[in-house]
Structures are given as structure tokens and as C-alpha cells.
Amino acid sequence: MQNATLSIGGMTCAACAGRIEKTVGKLDGVSAAVVNLASEKLFVEYADTQTLAGIKDAVINIGYEVLDKPKGTAVSIPIGGMTCAACSARVEKAIRKLEGVESVSVNLATEKAAVIYNPQTIRIAVIKDAIEKAGYKALDFSKESAADEDKLRKEREIRILWTKFIIAASFGLPLLYIAMVPMITWVALPFPKALAPMNFPLIYALVELLLVAPIIIAGYRFYTVGFKNLLRRSPNMDSLIAIGTTAAAAYSLYNVWQIAQGNFKAVDALYFETAGVIIALILLGKSLEAVSKGRTSEAIKKLMGLAPKTAIIIEHGVEKEIPIDEVIPGDIIVARPGTKIPVDGVVVEGRTAIDESMLTGESMPVDKKAGDSVYAATINSNGVIRFKAEKIGSDTALAQIIKLVEDAQGSKAPIAQMADIVAGYFVPIVCVIAALAGVAWFAAASAGFAALPPGKSALEFALTMFISVLVIACPCALGLATPTAIMVGTGKGAENGILIKSGEALETAHKAQIIVFDKTGTITEGKPTVTDVVAAPGVEPDFLLRVIASAEKGSEHPLGQAIVQGAEERGLELFAASHFEALTGRGIEAGIDGVVIDGNDAAKLHRPRRILAGNKKLMDERGVALGELEAGADRLAAEGKTPMYAALDGKIAGIVAVADVVKPSSKAAVESLHKMGIEVVMITGDNRKTAAAIAKQVGIDRALSEVLPQDKSNEVKKLQESAESARGEKRQRRFVAMVGDGINDAPALVQADIGIAIGSGTDVAMESADIVLMRSDLMDVPTAINLSKRTIRTIKQNLFWAFGYNTLGIPIAAGVLYLFGGPLLNPIFAAAAMSLSSVSVLTNALRLKRFKAGTKNRRKAK
């Protein structure tokens, strides 16, 4: 299966999105098609039997645009020195023959060459050289990224919408004024005598016609798109507006003709202002909607803006600054203090500390030396390093994060399916309701069963009902209710280092009743650390650690390496070891040269001394008496630590305890989850005593110990099928979330209802997890659940208002209140209400941008 994301133009409401999904979903080989109305993108999954070109054709055939992006990298190079068509042709020929250039077009008028090229094959510098050799000047330029192009396109759309609204408002206000003032008799408002409808009805009518014409032209798209979709039997929001305003304008044109024929009473039946003001108000709503939709994708824009624009490479031993797009894998790049790392790579020379907060959320800089990885957009804090470029462009960790967030924003939550189903049938049903309401009121008024408003005929009255129902029943709010909240929610998660991979994960995370934590690397740091040094009488603790570390220097065992690291962190200088022997399952034996303690005095020894370091079994084998230290070893073991005895020349010297220490945030995270009413379970392959000690230390309810990696998924399944509460009662089918490292725990992460992977920020493409925590901070688990709760609450609010608005608005527009003596809804107010409904839904979704992670708890944890 293949995946593709297509930018779609021409969508106006949920009906459009539903039609595209239905059309593409029916194509052979297409397994999934999801349209995000807010981001205007189609996410499609298809088999090799189907082509992307076929999918694009299907979208175009039903009246929408597919905004193509070039396969290669596109760049526009300004060229100086061209004077005629022969010059542009010569430049084109020079560039086209270069290997790696996919296409080239030179525009003489703009003096620019539009080139699509493969950056893996050719650098822009080579293209510039070709232009120079052809006798012309390649000027400096700045390449616009896909994000910039998308941003510019949306800004252009917003600018066009605002321009159309200003035109519509400029003509709509005077149109409304001259249409309404003659009806207002209780207030003396200025009015041109030459336009008095009773005295000069034809002039009055023609002026209204002249004023409404520019408004209809400004809103022409409602008609071209609306009627086209109506003819294709898939009406959308534009169709409702087009039918309603056309009915008002056509009826008014008929009355202008009646006035011209001498029927001056027809001047009271002009509805040009209804059509004009409706279009103006809807253009205002669409403009505000476009602005709000642009704000939902700010998180993506922020991430994209992190990448630097240039890089300094070493070429033939000389430093050279080039655009970031010209970097290729294998380039040696120089990073100076205060600069951003341009691409992912591996340090080959130098030492520094790098601020990786944009990637992991951690504020402390990370030390880097030769062999360490560095990542694009992180900031070099102090040293100068050289590193080898390994991943560029879409392969960098930053690009993977951006893609993951984009995919999540484009996905649909299960709750959205209800809105989609309703939206798919909504517009045709509204058309039927509007027609029935118009016909019913016309029949009732004509037969005398319904009282007509003053000055209105039965046809005018029925037309008002017809137009009001069509205009008020816009499905925009329904279509925007879910995707906007998901876009803002996933974007907010990314800002907090929480990558939510789908709308479904964002929606369902808050349902977690049990959260299962893997121990090693999740609750704990994942690497053993020296925790206690208990020296025998007459032995200094530092000396004890120094001696054991000297013996363990040659060991490859994790515990031995932890002791060596512990000594180095304390600044202890190690002795030289003369020999080393690993005693399988018991410990090690070694000889060292150095200083030993004899009573309270230090004496220099000139021959090696025998060191034993290991478990109780080794001490018993060699006849070493443990004395009072045995009780201390038992206490350490009860705390989940591994005690290692040390004997010097056959005499006990002390104990060094090693343990995989608990992360500072683990206890605070468990406390937060308990406050949320969530049961916390720990799963580990460690022995029962160690597991119990760790569980007690962080306050975990239950510990599942001695579980093999392949059995973890079965344990999660058991928790899902039946879980016992603290009171001993059985609860069926619990919602279980699993938190692990995303590699050893992959089966369990997949088995869980929600898989949450602890990531370092580099492997963001972990397929096994639904949510990836960029920083290894467990406080992000309750944060993710709280974000899910807030997002689903926002979606429900949006759907409530969207459904509630239409449920109440359509009957009112159809005249239910008027039937019982209430007011009649003017189509102009219906248009205003429709526009405000979409804006209100978007504004409510944007409130999620104020969501903040539990910073107090995080500070407490640290």
C-alpha cells in the first residue's frame, strides 16, 4: 500500500469533503480516503493497482482542484543579462542538459528560471555555473519552501476574500439603505428625492439593480460552484446560497420588468437587497473563517520555521556557506557557537553542548563529542564542531515530526463520522425542506389560511421562507467542528513534546482506565547507577569504590560498567589492574597495584593485591566472612538494589549497591494519574522483590514481575478482559494504555487500546505507538490524557452548537414561530446567523491553544 497527501482547492463545506471522500473511496485499489476540510487536504491510501494520477483525475472530474507539488525540488533563479527570446532559449538549453534537472522554464518577462531538480544528483551551484558559462548572470535568490508556498497561497485567498467582501459591503450598505429607508416612516432619515420609489419607481429599481450587480459579481463563485454541484446532484453550501440569492434576484428582475411595463406597484416586491446583503455577509463569514483556519496550523508553521536557511560546508579544505537545499549526505558541515544545526548528522571533530529543547523539550544542553548524533534545528551552545551530514530534507528528525503532526491533523476521529454522515445528507434534505416550506406557505396564504405580513403577496411571502431556509442551513459548522479541534489539539501536543499520531488516538486517550508502565527505561532511567557505598570499618567509601572500579575496568557487564562510571563521576583516579578474570554468575577477580588501608594509616604497596567483587555466593566460595554487612546487603536488596560485595586479600572491604534509578518525574506522574482516577500497573522482567521495591517507591498500585518481553502483550490483554478493582469487584473490558520504549514493548503497545512510546526525539516514526513522548518525562502521560479530554470536550461543544444551530435555525426560518404568532425570519438575518455559526465553531476550537501542560507538577518532579 502507498500513502499520499493532496492539497485540494474549491471545497467550501462538509458536503464537498464528503463527496470527495465518497468518490475517491470508490476507486479500485483505494483502501482509505480522508478529507480534512480545515487543512484542505486529502489523505489517501491506495494499492499499486491504482495510480495517483487516477485519483487526481477523479477529484478534478467532480469539480475540485488538485494543487500539485513538483516531485523534485523547485527553485526560481533570477537571471541578469537576457535581452530577447534567443537569450531565454539559450539559458533553458544550458540548464536542461544538466544531469539531475527534471524541468526548466525561463521567463523573459520576469527574468527568472523556474527549475525542478533532484538535490541528490545536482547542486544549485552547478546550475548557476551553467547559467554563467552561457554568458548570463545568476543572481542571488531565496527558495520558498512548501510551507511558505502554502502560507502564501492561503494569504492570497484571504486577501481576495477580504477584497470581495469590501466590494460587496461598499455596494451592499447603500443598497440596504435605499431599500429600507422608504419603509421606515417613524424616523426622518435623509433620502434622495430623485430615488423616491413612489415618484420614480423605475429609477429606484434600476439603481438597486446597478448596486446589486457588483455584489453578485464579487460572489460569482457561489453561483459557478453551487449550480455546477447542483447539476451533478451533489449540492453543497454554495448551492444553497446560489439557489436562494438567485431566486431573490430573479424575482426582483421580473418586477423591474413589470415596473417598466407600467405596473408601479411592483416596486414593493424588489428583493435585490436580500441577495446583495446575504452575499456580503457570507463573504464576511468566509473571510473570518479563512483567517481562523490559518491559525489552526500555526504549530506546523512554527516547526517548519525552526530549520536554518544556510549551512557552512568544507569543500576542498575551504569553508563555504551554501543554501540548506544544496547540502547532500556526506558533506562535512561546520557548526559554530550560537548557530543552528542545519541537517541531521554525526560529529566527526570537536566537543560542544547542544540545546535540543525544540526536539525533546529538555532545557539542559546535551554534551556532544565525536561519534554522537546531532539533529537539524537544534542550537549549538558553546563549542565548534564538524559533523558529517547523514539525513537531509524530509529525512531529518524535524521533518519526520512535521509529517507525523500533519498526518495526525489530517486524520479523522471516530466522533467525526457522525458529522460526516449527517453532512452528506444534509444539503439535499435542506433543499427539500426549503421547497416544501415555500410551497406550503404559498398554498396556505393563497387559500387564506395564513395571514400575510403587511405589503407582501403570497408569492413574496413563500419566497422569503424558501430563501431563509436555504441560507440559514449551511453545513460549514458541522464540517469544521471536528477537524479544527483535532488540528489545534495535535499542534498543541507537538509544542509540548507530545506527538499524537492520529485523531483517533487524540479522541480515545482520555478513556484510559488502566495505564501499564514498562519499568526499564520508562519508570527508571534504563541504565544501572551506583546508589550506595557501604564500607567496612576502617575503609574509606571513596577508596572502596576506587578499588572495585579499578577491578571492574576490564568488565563488559553493565553492573561493572556502572561502578566504573560512578567512580569517574566522583573524580576518583583508578589503579592499574594486573589481571582480570570474570567468574560467571558470581562476579570477578582481579589484581591491582595501589594503596590499601591498614588500620588508619595508608601504606604504599609494591606488589599486586587480590580483589574479589561479586555476590554472596562468591564470598561463601572463597570463605570471606561478611559480618555485619550481610544485614546491610539484605536491606539494599529489599529496596530493589543489587548489592556487590568486595573483598581485599580475603578480607571483606564493603558493599557497593547498583540500581536502575527511578526517573525524577515517575512518582509525580503516578500521583497525577491517581488523582485522575486511573489505575497504574508496572510490568517488568525483573524479580518480584526488585519490582515490588520500585513500585512502592513511585506509588504504583500493582507490579507484574518476571514477565518475558513476548508475554507482555498477553498481560495487557488480561488487563483489558478483566481487571479487579481495589474493592475486589470484577470489571469487564477495561480501556488499557501501555507506556513503553516502543521497541522491546512493541507487541504490548499494539495490543493496548492506546500505545504510548517514550522516545528520545529521534525515532519519531515508531509504528507501534499511537502517541510518542519526545522527552522521556512521564509527566507527559497525564498531560496527553488531559489534552485528549480538553480536545474531545471542545469537539462535543462544537458539534452541539453546530447541530443545535441547525436544529433550531431551520424550523425558525421555515416559519414555525410565525405560525404561532411569532416573528418572521428575514433572509438577511439568516445569512448573518449562518456566517457566525462557522466563525463561532472555529473560535471555540482555537481556545485549545491556551492549553498548558502541568508545569507545577513537572517542576515538582524535577
Side-chain angles (χ1 to χ4, degrees):
M1 300 299 288
Q2 301 181 62
N3 294 286
T5 302
L6 303 176
S7 293
I8 306 296
M11 294 191 297
T12 56
C13 65
C16 299
R19 186 168 183 225
I20 293 170
E21 286 182 356
K22 189 175 180 181
T23 301
V24 175
K26 286 181 177 178
L27 296 175
D28 291 336
V30 174
S31 58
V34 178
V35 173
N36 187 317
L37 178 62
S39 63
E40 299 176 321
K41 288 183 179 178
L42 164 64
F43 297 82
V44 62
E45 185 177 292
Y46 59 99
D48 294 334
T49 53
Q50 179 57 259
T51 64
L52 194 57
I55 295 169
K56 291 179 181 178
D57 289 342
V59 174
I60 293 167
N61 289 338
I62 57 173
Y64 301 95
E65 297 175 79
V66 177
L67 306 173
D68 264 327
K69 291 181 182 177
K71 291 181 182 178
T73 300
V75 67
S76 181
I77 306 174
I79 299 172
M82 294 191 299
T83 56
C84 64
C87 297
S88 58
R90 187 178 178 190
V91 173
E92 269 191 18
K93 186 178 179 182
I95 297 173
R96 187 175 286 114
K97 67 181 182 181
L98 297 173
E99 184 183 355
V101 172
E102 295 175 12
S103 69
V104 58
S105 175
V106 177
N107 188 317
L108 181 63
T110 60
E111 296 183 312
K112 287 183 179 178
V115 183
I116 298 175
Y117 70 103
N118 183 348
Q120 302 292 327
T121 308
I122 187 172
R123 290 185 187 270
I124 292 177
V126 177
I127 299 173
K128 286 183 174 181
D129 286 342
I131 295 170
E132 299 278 349
K133 287 175 182 176
Y136 303 93
K137 182 70 175 175
L139 305 174
D140 289 334
F141 72 98
S142 59
K143 175 190 158 295
E144 291 176 347
S145 66
D148 293 333
E149 290 170 5
D150 189 57
K151 180 182 177 183
L152 290 170
R153 180 176 63 82
K154 289 186 176 180
E155 285 177 351
R156 186 167 59 251
E157 287 176 4
I158 292 169
R159 192 163 56 247
I160 290 170
L161 280 170
W162 277 120
T163 302
K164 288 181 175 180
F165 165 68
I166 291 167
I167 292 170
S170 300
F171 288 93
L173 288 172
L175 174 61
L176 183 64
Y177 187 85
I178 67 171
M180 301 304 294
V181 167
M183 301 180 193
I184 302 172
T185 55
W186 61 90
V187 179
L189 294 172
F191 194 83
K193 291 181 180 180
L195 294 180
M198 294 299 103
N199 300 327
F200 307 100
L202 185 58
I203 294 175
Y204 175 80
L206 290 173
V207 169
E208 282 201 2
L209 177 59
L210 288 172
L211 286 171
V212 81
I215 302 174
I216 290 174
I217 292 170
Y220 78 93
R221 197 173 177 283
F222 295 125
Y223 301 97
T224 56
V225 175
F227 284 123
K228 188 189 293 181
N229 286 326
L230 195 62
L231 292 172
R232 288 174 171 155
R233 293 181 295 177
S234 59
N236 64 353
M237 182 208 80
D238 292 335
S239 304
L240 300 179
I241 297 166
I243 296 169
T245 56
T246 298
Y251 184 63
S252 300
L253 280 171
Y254 168 76
N255 286 304
V256 171
W257 181 78
Q258 285 284 310
I259 294 168
Q261 295 299 309
N263 181 11
F264 296 154
K265 288 184 180 180
V267 77
D268 292 327
L270 297 176
Y271 284 88
F272 286 125
E273 83 283 355
T274 299
V277 175
I278 283 173
I279 291 172
L281 285 171
I282 291 170
L283 283 171
L284 173 62
K286 298 300 282 183
S287 301
L288 295 172
E289 184 181 307
V291 171
S292 298
K293 280 161 71 175
R295 290 180 59 198
T296 60
S297 58
E298 281 181 4
I300 293 288
K301 291 174 187 172
K302 283 181 183 177
L303 286 171
M304 288 180 169
L306 292 172
K309 305 299 180 188
T310 61
I312 298 174
I313 67 168
I314 304 295
E315 193 170 73
H316 306 301
V318 179
E319 292 186 5
K320 180 182 178 183
E321 187 170 1
I322 61 172
I324 189 72
D325 305 298
E326 292 190 33
V327 176
I328 60 174
D331 279 346
I332 301 300
I333 300 173
V334 179
R336 294 194 174 91
T339 60
K340 286 184 178 180
I341 303 297
V343 296
D344 291 5
V346 175
V347 178
V348 295
E349 183 182 325
R351 296 180 69 96
T352 188
I354 291 182
D355 179 0
E356 295 184 346
S357 58
M358 56 69 54
L359 202 64
T360 65
E362 291 298 333
S363 57
M364 292 298 292
V366 180
D367 290 332
K368 300 288 182 179
K369 61 184 184 302
D372 290 339
S373 297
V374 292
Y375 306 102
T378 56
I379 301 171
N380 184 19
S381 299
N382 47 38
V384 178
I385 58 170
R386 292 186 179 189
F387 67 94
K388 182 180 179 181
E390 289 199 333
K391 294 180 180 179
I392 64 170
S394 60
D395 294 328
T396 64
L398 177 65
Q400 289 183 51
I401 294 169
I402 292 168
K403 184 180 185 304
L404 197 151
V405 177
E406 280 183 328
D407 289 347
Q409 291 186 343
S411 63
K412 280 193 174 176
I415 197 171
Q417 294 173 2
M418 175 178 63
D420 289 345
I421 293 168
V422 172
Y425 295 100
F426 188 78
V427 177
I429 290 172
V430 167
C431 290
V432 172
I433 292 172
L436 289 175
V439 171
W441 280 110
F442 178 76
S446 299
F449 294 120
L452 293 172
K456 282 188 180 286
S457 67
L459 180 60
E460 293 167 3
F461 178 55
L463 187 64
T464 299
M465 297 296 189
F466 176 70
I467 295 170
S468 294
V469 173
L470 288 175
V471 171
I472 201 169
C474 169
C476 283
L478 280 175
L480 293 168
T482 302
T484 49
I486 287 176
M487 286 182 73
V488 178
T490 50
K492 201 65 190 175
E495 286 179 20
N496 287 281
I498 302 167
L499 298 183
I500 302 164
K501 297 171 73 173
S502 68
E504 184 176 358
L506 182 63
E507 178 184 333
T508 55
H510 75 284
K511 296 178 183 178
Q513 296 165 293
I514 299 176
I515 292 187
V516 181
F517 285 98
D518 176 53
K519 182 184 81 71
T520 306
T522 303
I523 291 174
T524 64
E525 293 288 358
K527 55 182 182 179
T529 306
V530 173
T531 57
D532 300 84
V533 179
V534 181
V539 179
E540 290 292 329
D542 279 356
F543 172 76
L544 174 64
L545 182 59
R546 187 180 177 192
V547 168
I548 298 180
S550 300
E552 294 280 6
K553 184 77 173 178
S555 173
E556 294 181 357
H557 194 282
L559 295 182
Q561 291 178 348
I563 291 172
V564 173
Q565 186 176 348
E568 289 175 347
E569 287 173 355
R570 288 168 171 78
L572 302 177
E573 185 179 350
L574 302 186
F575 301 123
S578 58
H579 76 275
F580 173 86
E581 182 183 358
L583 306 173
T584 306
R586 293 164 292 165
I588 59 107
E589 182 177 5
I592 64 166
D593 290 320
V595 179
V596 293
I597 300 297
D598 182 13
N600 293 320
D601 300 319
K604 190 83 173 178
L605 294 182
H606 300 288
R607 60 187 179 84
R609 289 304 187 208
R610 185 168 60 97
I611 300 294
L612 286 174
N615 55 24
K616 185 174 182 292
K617 187 176 181 180
L618 177 62
M619 297 297 118
D620 291 342
E621 280 182 5
R622 301 300 176 91
V624 178
L626 302 179
E628 297 177 357
L629 292 179
E630 190 169 1
D634 292 340
R635 174 183 59 79
L636 292 169
E639 293 174 0
K641 300 168 184 177
T642 302
M644 182 181 290
Y645 295 97
L648 182 63
D649 289 337
K651 184 179 180 182
I652 191 71
I655 302 171
V656 173
V658 177
D660 184 3
V661 297
V662 170
K663 290 179 182 176
S665 61
S666 296
K667 187 174 183 180
V670 172
E671 287 175 358
S672 296
L673 292 171
H674 281 156
K675 288 177 183 177
M676 296 163 71
I678 296 172
E679 184 180 349
V680 182
V681 175
M682 184 182 77
I683 192 165
T684 179
D686 280 352
N687 62 68
R688 186 172 298 178
K689 186 181 287 187
T690 301
I694 296 294
K696 182 179 179 182
Q697 192 175 342
V698 296
I700 282 175
D701 304 305
R702 199 167 11 145
L704 304 175
S705 57
E706 299 176 8
V707 180
L708 297 174
Q710 60 267 31
D711 295 331
K712 287 183 180 180
S713 60
N714 290 330
E715 294 294 334
V716 170
K717 190 174 182 180
K718 288 178 187 176
L719 290 170
Q720 289 171 321
E721 290 171 351
S722 177
E724 190 172 301
S725 70
R727 297 178 182 176
E729 56 194 16
K730 291 283 183 179
R731 299 170 180 166
Q732 296 299 319
R733 190 57 182 94
R734 302 289 297 279
F735 195 96
V736 177
M738 170 74 189
V739 184
D741 63 13
I743 301 168
N744 296 330
D745 305 311
L749 289 169
V750 173
Q751 175 62 43
D753 297 286
I754 287 288
I756 303 174
I758 298 289
S760 64
T762 59
D763 190 11
V764 297
M766 283 187 285
E767 295 295 332
S768 52
D770 302 294
I771 298 173
V772 179
L773 307 182
M774 298 292 290
R775 47 196 169 200
S776 299
D777 187 346
L778 291 194
M779 279 306 298
D780 286 339
V781 175
T783 298
I785 292 171
N786 280 324
L787 180 60
S788 171
K789 284 182 178 178
R790 283 282 302 275
T791 303
I792 198 65
R793 188 191 311 155
T794 301
I795 290 173
K796 287 179 177 177
Q797 289 169 349
N798 283 352
L799 289 174
F800 172 80
W801 288 113
F803 279 118
Y805 161 80
N806 284 295
T807 303
L808 292 173
I810 291 174
I812 292 172
V816 171
L817 293 182
Y818 186 76
L819 188 65
F820 297 98
L824 185 67
L825 184 66
N826 189 297
I828 292 173
F829 294 114
M834 184 275 285
S835 296
L836 286 173
S837 69
S838 297
V839 175
S840 64
V841 163
L842 281 159
T843 304
N844 189 47
L846 288 171
R847 288 194 309 122
L848 270 173
K849 292 174 75 68
R850 293 184 289 183
F851 174 85
K852 291 183 180 177
T855 50
K856 286 184 181 179
N857 288 335
R858 182 168 282 123
R859 283 197 297 268
K860 181 181 176 183
K862 290 181 179 180

